[in-house]
């Protein structure tokens, strides 16, 4: 995929960078979900993780979840219905506005997010062992410098959709 330049240097093609970044992302997410399945969460899918993050500790309406994920309210509703069936969320009245229904994380949902954080930490430690602490810190710093904005966008499922 790369070409040799005069002097023995290698030059990568432009398309390789996004493919390598995606492959790294995918390997982390696949490893996370394999470990979650081993630890009692076999039904969680990557889209569910994004939805749980979008719901967050304070809860959210289906409209808010959709906006945070960059998907329709209907798609957010379908995802949260599945999470409710699996026991990761529940619906509750909003204390501030009785007309709204909030989607809240259940204890199982909170536990899954906490477990995910621990697994991500373990995966990062393995990357650090493989690459070295300095190289991993530099990689994270460089990616942070290139990422737009000050917050992470959670709309990957909508971004990959049609």
């Amino acid at each position: 995929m790369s070409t040799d330049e005069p002097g023995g240097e290698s030059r990568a093609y432009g398309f390789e960078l996004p493919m390598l970044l995606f492959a790294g992302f995918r390997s982390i997410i696949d490893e996370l979900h394999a470990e979650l399945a081993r630890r009692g969460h076999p039904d969680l899918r990557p889209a569910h993780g994004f939805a749980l993050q979008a719901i967050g500790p304070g809860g959210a309406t289906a409209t808010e979840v959709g906006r945070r994920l960059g998907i329709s309210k209907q798609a957010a509703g379908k995802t949260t219905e599945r999470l409710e069936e699996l026991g990761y969320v529940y619906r509750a009245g909003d204390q501030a506005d009785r007309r709204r229904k909030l989607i809240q994380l259940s204890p199982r949902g909170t536990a899954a997010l906490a477990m995910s954080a621990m697994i991500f930490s373990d995966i990062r430690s393995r990357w650090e062992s493989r690459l070295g602490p300095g190289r991993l810190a530099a990689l994270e710093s460089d990616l942070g410098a290139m990422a737009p904005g000050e917050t992470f966008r959670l709309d990957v499922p909508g971004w990959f959709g049609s």
Side-chain angles (χ1 to χ4, degrees):
M1 286 188 146
S2 39
T3 60
D4 289 327
E5 294 288 315
E9 294 180 25
S10 180
R11 180 180 63 81
Y13 292 107
F15 68 85
E16 288 179 311
L17 177 61
M19 297 302 288
L20 289 168
L21 289 169
F22 181 72
F25 169 79
R26 178 71 193 260
S27 71
I28 290 170
I29 297 302
D30 287 350
E31 186 175 346
L32 167 73
H33 283 275
E35 189 59 29
L36 283 170
R38 280 191 286 278
R39 295 186 189 188
H41 300 279
D43 295 324
L44 275 182
R45 301 291 174 257
H48 298 150
F50 287 109
L52 291 171
Q53 290 289 333
I55 293 164
T61 65
T63 300
E64 291 167 336
V65 171
R67 188 180 69 250
R68 292 172 187 170
L69 293 176
I71 60 177
S72 70
K73 175 184 174 183
Q74 292 77 15
K78 184 176 179 180
T79 300
T80 56
E81 283 174 18
R82 181 66 179 140
L83 286 170
E84 190 171 20
E85 290 168 8
L86 295 171
Y88 291 99
V89 301
Y90 64 92
R91 296 177 194 278
D94 184 347
Q95 301 290 1
D97 184 348
R98 297 281 185 208
R99 297 169 296 173
R100 293 178 5 140
K101 285 286 188 191
L102 280 180
I103 303 156
Q104 298 277 353
L105 297 175
S106 70
R108 181 169 170 80
T110 301
L113 285 179
M115 188 178 296
S116 294
M118 289 186 298
I119 296 167
F120 276 134
S121 184
D122 291 345
I123 293 168
R124 187 191 181 282
S125 291
R126 281 194 294 286
W127 278 51
E128 185 176 58
S129 293
R130 178 104 186 252
L131 298 174
R135 286 185 65 198
L136 183 58
L139 175 62
E140 290 171 330
S141 177
D142 291 345
L143 290 171
M146 298 306 296
E150 300 201 10
T151 60
F152 294 102
R153 292 180 56 196
L154 298 174
D155 62 349
V156 172
W159 188 87
F160 278 116
S162 54

